Amino acid sequence: MSITASYVAIAVIITRFLLKRAPKIFSYLLWLAVAVRLVIPVSFTSSFSLLRLVQPQGRSGTGFMEFVPQDMGMQKHPMVDAGISGISHFINSTLPAAAPPSSANTMQIILWIASIIWVTGTVILLFYSALSYLKLRSRIQTATLVKDNIFETDRITTPFVCGFLKPRIYIPTGLSEHELAYILLHEETHIRRRDYWIKPVAFVILTFHWFNPLMWLSYALMSRDMEMSCDECVVDKMGDQIKGSYSTTLLSLAVRGSGLRTGSPLAFGEGNIKARIKNILAYRQPSSWIAVGSILVIAALVLGCAADPKPLSHSSQLSAQSLYSGYDMEKLMGNKTLYVGNHIKVGGLIGGMPRPSGLEGRGIELQTKAQPYGVTVYYVVNDDTVVLKDGTISGEAFYRNSVLLLSLIDNVDWITYSIADPTGPNVDPAYSFTLTREKAEKMLGEDVRPYGKDQTSLRQLIDRLERLNFNETGSAV
């Protein structure tokens, strides 16, 4: 969720820059897409998804994006797919290999320590936020009611809204009448938009993703957009002539003190004073076409970031260009995967390979809980007159496909094809073909994984396998 939200945050930051001349309310609304990604692990799928640009792994039909395998600590070679090959390679090069089953698993120990650190950091931030809020409440207990929901006290230096069910505006003493008008309109805008709920909720979300620097940056920029959009609302309602005096009010409040930095209160004048003043002085009411254009950009970005990429459909009629000796090269390269636990990719690889006539697929089974890790592909005979020759099935096609799978699945150790014959006397599989990575490397004299780097290398491997004859034990002659 945090990785996905990071990509969305980058898209929002870039869009904010493109919308710098538009009212800040539009930039403020953009952060909704990041919040959705941080909170909800599933989403709807759509062909219009910006996440397609980073090519994340997806679980078909679930709307769940997977960047880290759930059995990461159990894999022989733990892998992370960050969606961008360069980032994935950098991360995976730093991950330790899992230890043998009889000894401590280094990866599991690291994940356990990281979990403790994450929980500790979350608890500390939540405790800090609660303590800051209670400290603030104690400072405003003696505030005097001015009118309606407005209270005044000399124990604060900057105005803010406080309260979740009955929000109140607290102002420092000594404000002039025109300063008070600006401040009240600003804080009333916060209340009308329910910002006194949004900012605390955003901070709570941040505490669960505190380890991600992009989320801290997003929270800071969201808070800035929130304040600037309220400033612009004041200018819209009171006119451009108040820009100078309103900016002076902001500056004078900043001089009084550093403000209340508790993580949840919406403090008027809290930080970013220079940027807010520059925005007020440069602000112009947008033309209708800028407003409409900004709304369309926001709608497109929120929809594109909230949706998961729809899995690309593969036509049943494969083009001649994509086929090579019966192998769908585009499908094979598109489903190349770092770890065997990604059943979507493994299934895609098997679907891109030729299947002997007379057999019907019955699914796959992935062994990822303990090493060695493997794949079992199940078939059933539906036409024994086509399959059987001299009372048996030739294993050449299965062994060739096994070598291809070993080259395209980075951490798989063995491939098994299990064929059941419902017409036979036994319920157990009638035929079974198994090829281990060790046997494949001995057979070809080298590691087969480098052949999976591109289509050219994969074609060379296919040509090489076509020249080999496999006997019943899987040996090549």
Side-chain angles (χ1 to χ4, degrees):
M1 290 163 63
S2 196
I3 293 174
T4 309
S6 296
Y7 292 129
V8 176
I10 293 173
V12 170
I13 291 172
I14 294 174
T15 306
R16 283 179 76 255
F17 178 77
L18 298 176
L19 295 177
K20 62 180 179 180
R21 294 188 179 276
K24 291 299 182 285
I25 185 62
F26 296 124
S27 299
Y28 183 34
L29 293 174
L30 285 174
W31 297 110
L32 175 63
V34 180
V36 168
R37 283 296 180 179
L38 289 174
V39 175
I40 305 177
V42 297
S43 180
F44 62 95
T45 58
S46 172
S47 56
F48 180 69
S49 174
L50 296 181
L51 289 177
R52 189 176 298 282
L53 298 175
V54 296
Q55 300 177 343
Q57 306 300 321
R59 294 186 179 181
S60 179
T62 65
F64 182 83
M65 303 309 301
E66 183 180 72
F67 292 88
V68 181
Q70 294 184 354
D71 59 348
M72 180 179 180
M74 299 298 296
Q75 296 188 30
K76 183 177 180 180
H77 300 286
M79 296 291 179
V80 173
D81 192 347
I84 298 177
S85 59
I87 298 177
S88 300
H89 178 75
F90 173 77
I91 296 175
N92 294 327
S93 64
T94 64
L95 295 178
S102 59
S103 60
N105 191 317
T106 306
M107 194 66 227
Q108 288 182 316
I109 294 175
I110 291 176
L111 290 176
W112 180 79
I113 294 175
S115 301
I116 297 300
I117 294 174
W118 170 69
V119 172
T120 302
T122 300
V123 171
I124 290 175
L125 285 173
L126 288 174
F127 178 77
Y128 165 77
S129 182
L131 183 64
S132 299
Y133 182 76
L134 293 176
K135 183 179 178 180
L136 173 65
R137 297 289 300 183
S138 67
R139 295 180 64 180
I140 58 177
Q141 284 183 346
T142 58
T144 304
L145 175 64
V146 177
K147 64 176 181 178
D148 300 329
N149 65 335
I150 304 170
F151 290 78
E152 186 180 54
T153 177
D154 59 356
R155 300 192 63 189
I156 61 176
T157 58
T158 184
F160 58 87
V161 174
C162 188
F164 299 108
L165 299 179
K166 295 182 179 180
R168 296 175 174 180
I169 299 174
Y170 292 89
I171 58 175
T173 57
L175 296 177
S176 64
E177 184 175 346
H178 73 276
E179 288 178 331
L180 188 59
Y182 306 145
I183 292 170
L184 293 181
L185 182 54
H186 180 102
E187 302 301 340
E188 287 169 357
T189 302
H190 279 311
I191 295 176
R192 186 177 67 255
R193 299 189 319 192
R194 303 294 190 271
D195 287 342
Y196 58 91
W197 287 349
I198 295 175
K199 193 170 183 179
V201 169
F203 186 79
V204 171
I205 295 174
L206 177 65
T207 62
F208 288 96
H209 296 266
W210 63 266
F211 54 88
N212 189 335
L214 266 176
M215 297 305 103
W216 286 96
L217 176 61
S218 297
Y219 179 77
L221 293 177
M222 184 275 294
S223 300
R224 177 184 294 190
D225 291 339
M226 175 189 292
E227 295 299 331
M228 287 185 175
S229 62
C230 285
D231 293 335
E232 293 173 350
C233 185
V234 173
V235 175
D236 282 337
K237 291 189 175 183
M238 302 189 72
D240 291 345
Q241 68 276 4
I242 60 98
K243 287 183 177 181
S245 55
Y246 186 31
S247 299
T248 302
T249 300
L250 283 177
L251 188 59
S252 64
L253 288 171
V255 172
R256 290 189 180 193
S258 59
L260 299 172
R261 303 181 184 278
T262 64
S264 56
L266 298 168
F268 178 88
E270 181 181 349
N272 301 317
I273 296 299
K274 181 179 179 180
R276 290 177 61 186
I277 291 177
K278 290 175 64 176
N279 183 67
I280 290 171
L281 297 177
Y283 175 69
R284 297 289 186 274
Q285 286 190 338
S287 61
S288 58
W289 69 270
I290 291 181
V292 172
S294 299
I295 292 174
L296 292 177
V297 170
I298 292 173
L301 185 71
V302 172
L303 179 63
C305 291
D308 288 337
K310 188 176 182 180
L312 296 175
S313 60
H314 295 281
S315 173
S316 58
Q317 300 296 329
L318 299 175
S319 65
Q321 292 182 346
S322 65
L323 287 177
Y324 186 80
S325 296
Y327 293 91
D328 183 355
M329 303 304 294
E330 292 183 2
K331 195 169 187 178
L332 292 181
M333 297 308 301
N335 286 282
K336 178 184 175 182
T337 181
L338 298 172
Y339 52 92
V340 68
N342 191 331
H343 64 283
I344 299 297
K345 293 288 190 179
V346 174
L349 290 172
I350 296 171
M353 296 181 178
R355 184 183 67 207
S357 301
L359 297 181
E360 180 182 347
R362 287 298 175 90
I364 62 175
E365 180 181 357
L366 307 180
Q367 168 57 34
T368 60
K369 293 183 178 180
Q371 58 181 350
Y373 305 102
V375 177
T376 301
V377 186
Y378 293 98
Y379 288 111
V380 62
V381 177
N382 59 12
D383 188 350
D384 55 3
T385 61
V386 176
V387 177
L388 300 180
K389 293 182 179 180
D390 299 327
T392 186
I393 296 178
S394 173
E396 288 196 12
F398 299 112
Y399 290 129
R400 291 192 180 98
N401 288 353
S402 297
V403 175
L404 266 292
L405 289 174
L406 290 169
S407 70
L408 294 167
I409 306 174
D410 192 80
N411 72 332
V412 69
D413 296 302
W414 53 264
I415 306 294
T416 293
Y417 284 88
S418 179
I419 300 97
D421 186 359
T423 63
N426 300 320
V427 295
D428 295 330
Y431 309 97
S432 180
F433 304 94
T434 298
L435 184 65
T436 65
R437 183 174 294 279
E438 181 181 3
K439 184 181 291 186
E441 292 178 354
K442 183 177 181 181
M443 180 193 311
L444 297 174
E446 59 181 325
D447 186 356
V448 297
R449 279 172 289 203
Y451 283 104
K453 64 181 179 179
D454 53 42
Q455 288 196 27
T456 301
S457 300
L458 198 61
R459 287 190 179 97
Q460 292 176 355
L461 178 60
I462 294 173
D463 292 339
R464 187 174 176 184
L465 293 174
E466 290 288 344
R467 293 192 295 268
L468 295 178
N469 294 320
F470 295 86
N471 59 31
E472 294 183 1
T473 64
S475 299
V477 293

